[in-house]
Amino acid sequence: MTGADRIHVIDALRGLALLGILLVNILVFATPYYATGLPDPAVHGPLDQALYALITLLFETKFYLLFSFLFGYSFTLQMTAATRAGAPFRPRMLRRLLGLAVIGVLHATLLYHGDILTIYALLGVILVLAEHWDARRAIRVALTLLGVNALVWFVLSGLAFAEPTAFATDAAAELREARQALTGFTGSPGEVVAEHARQYRSTWPVLVGLQGVGALAAFLLGFAAGKLDVFKSLESAQAILKKTLRLGLPVGVLGAMVYTGTVHLNVSEPVKVLGFALDTFTAPFLTAAYVALFTLTWPRHAGKLYWLVPAGRMALSNYLGQSLMCSLIFHGYGLKLMGQVSLLEIAGIALALFAIQVWFSHRWLSRFQYGPAEWVLRAVTTLSIPRLKRAEVLSPRKPGRAA
């Protein structure tokens, strides 16, 4: 494969990750009942129920791991870029993480309180400290983290069965919280910002607890993939990719099915905790299977999958853009449709928004070298003003079939 193709497969995976993340995150914008355990008025009938279960099965808890894996891989690209520029790596990367943290805080306060960027910035410091690790050590630590994290959740599920009342949820309090969120998010722009700030104070530590360990493990696995140049020699990686698919797909799908059942069926709180524990253990398997399947497919179908590449090259801009567009549709900044749209319509909006992002990314990158947010982050990283506009306008090109 050519050098360009090797970059394209990573960008295409980022584009895929963006789609999966949007299909989950849009639910937070569209309904205040998401993840409350209460019956959601957005679910109008069997078709909505089936679609909701499908999103939980295939996307929820899987695609943030994919995004995290790609962040870890990109870390090694930043190391290479620093070496090529003859600049010390750590100061550059720490500036980049600080810039990411600032963007994340603004994102959380203004647009989306479930922001992951601040967590990435914090966990990225650990990667900086581990920059000299070899791939074997990174994989070993990552697998240990995943195992310990799953074990902790299985222990918690055991405690939930032993003391059910300690894990019981207050339905009345959950309903009051949902109604307060609906009022805040559909109020004036000032009320929307205040509601984001209120939600962020309680959501951030929960996200760290629920996703932090998994994200760090995925960072390290992506870091190891970068150290091993997995995506630079796909032909030599065929065997390990096929083994990953054969193991990850059945384990991941089985775990996801059980987890989906505990989320959408009327089960006790201890059973829900057990379902999440099982998902914590098996979701990385399904994410790994996604990576393996996509990467195995890429060499022969790169031309057909190329439409994902520009969106992935502007992953940060598109992640922020998703929140902006969803805010304009569902929150008080715009149409205030939160709580008024069915799940089928929500999914349709998500697909339409992603299609717009794909089109816009193609158009933007034909004229500019970086996405808007990527340009800002690069300026912070290098302490320079990067050239944004291309010397000449490019027409969209697709790679031919790769061997």
Side-chain angles (χ1 to χ4, degrees), residues 29-355:
F29 290 91
T31 169
Y33 292 90
Y34 177 70
T36 62
L38 299 173
D40 194 333
V43 181
H44 291 170
L47 185 58
D48 277 354
Q49 291 173 349
L51 181 58
Y52 203 173
L54 188 65
I55 291 173
T56 304
L57 177 73
L58 298 179
F59 300 99
E60 191 175 292
T61 74
K62 288 84 179 176
F63 276 79
Y64 89 89
L65 291 174
L66 175 55
F67 219 49
S68 302
F69 172 84
L70 295 169
F71 182 93
Y73 184 88
S74 296
F75 186 90
T76 63
L77 301 182
Q78 291 296 322
M79 294 173 65
T80 302
T83 301
R84 188 168 53 242
F89 169 69
R90 286 194 174 187
R92 282 171 59 110
M93 194 64 196
L94 290 174
R95 287 195 299 269
R96 187 177 187 85
L97 294 174
L98 178 60
L100 193 65
V102 172
I103 292 173
V105 170
L106 292 173
H107 178 228
T109 304
L110 299 176
L111 297 176
Y112 179 52
H113 56 274
D115 168 77
I116 193 71
L117 300 178
T118 48
I119 297 176
Y120 277 18
L122 178 64
L123 297 178
V125 176
I126 299 176
L127 270 188
V128 171
L129 297 176
E131 64 171 305
H132 297 301
W133 287 10
D134 61 18
R136 184 182 297 273
R137 184 178 184 184
I139 292 172
R140 186 168 62 247
V141 173
L143 295 180
T144 300
L145 286 172
L146 290 173
V148 170
N149 192 40
L151 179 61
V152 168
W153 279 103
F154 278 117
V155 170
L156 287 174
S157 69
L159 294 175
F161 280 102
E163 296 289 343
T165 55
F167 290 80
T169 57
D170 186 340
E174 293 276 12
L175 182 58
R176 287 194 299 271
E177 174 65 24
R179 288 173 174 171
Q180 183 176 353
L182 179 61
T183 300
F185 284 132
T186 57
S188 67
E191 290 172 321
V192 174
V193 172
E195 184 62 21
H196 276 305
R198 185 185 76 85
Q199 295 269 0
Y200 186 53
R201 286 192 294 271
S202 58
T203 300
W204 195 84
V206 172
L207 285 175
V208 171
L210 294 179
Q211 298 184 353
V213 177
L216 179 57
F219 279 9
L220 291 170
L221 291 174
F223 175 80
K227 287 275 187 173
L228 294 172
D229 287 335
V230 169
F231 295 100
K232 292 183 180 180
S233 54
L234 295 185
E235 291 80 6
S236 61
Q238 293 282 306
I240 186 63
L241 290 171
K242 289 178 180 178
K243 288 180 181 179
T244 300
L245 182 60
R246 285 196 296 267
L247 173 63
L249 193 60
V251 174
V253 169
L254 180 61
M257 289 175 65
V258 175
Y259 170 65
T260 300
T262 62
V263 169
H264 294 284
L265 298 178
N266 186 20
V267 298
S268 65
E269 199 63 31
V271 173
K272 289 184 179 180
V273 178
L274 179 60
F276 185 78
L278 183 63
D279 184 68
T280 300
F281 176 69
T282 59
F285 284 87
L286 189 51
T287 302
Y290 288 160
V291 174
L293 179 60
F294 191 91
T295 308
L296 287 167
T297 303
W298 177 262
R300 290 187 175 275
H301 300 284
K304 296 177 182 178
L305 297 171
Y306 183 79
W307 60 275
L308 287 166
V309 170
R313 285 183 58 192
M314 294 174 50
L316 178 59
S317 295
N318 282 324
Y319 174 69
L320 299 173
Q322 289 175 357
S323 297
L324 176 60
M325 290 189 293
C326 287
S327 293
L328 292 174
I329 293 170
F330 297 107
H331 288 175
Y333 297 135
L335 299 178
K336 303 183 181 182
L337 293 182
M338 187 180 208
Q340 301 180 43
V341 184
S342 73
L343 200 72
L344 183 61
E345 292 167 331
I346 293 168
I349 291 170
L351 294 176
L353 291 181
F354 188 70

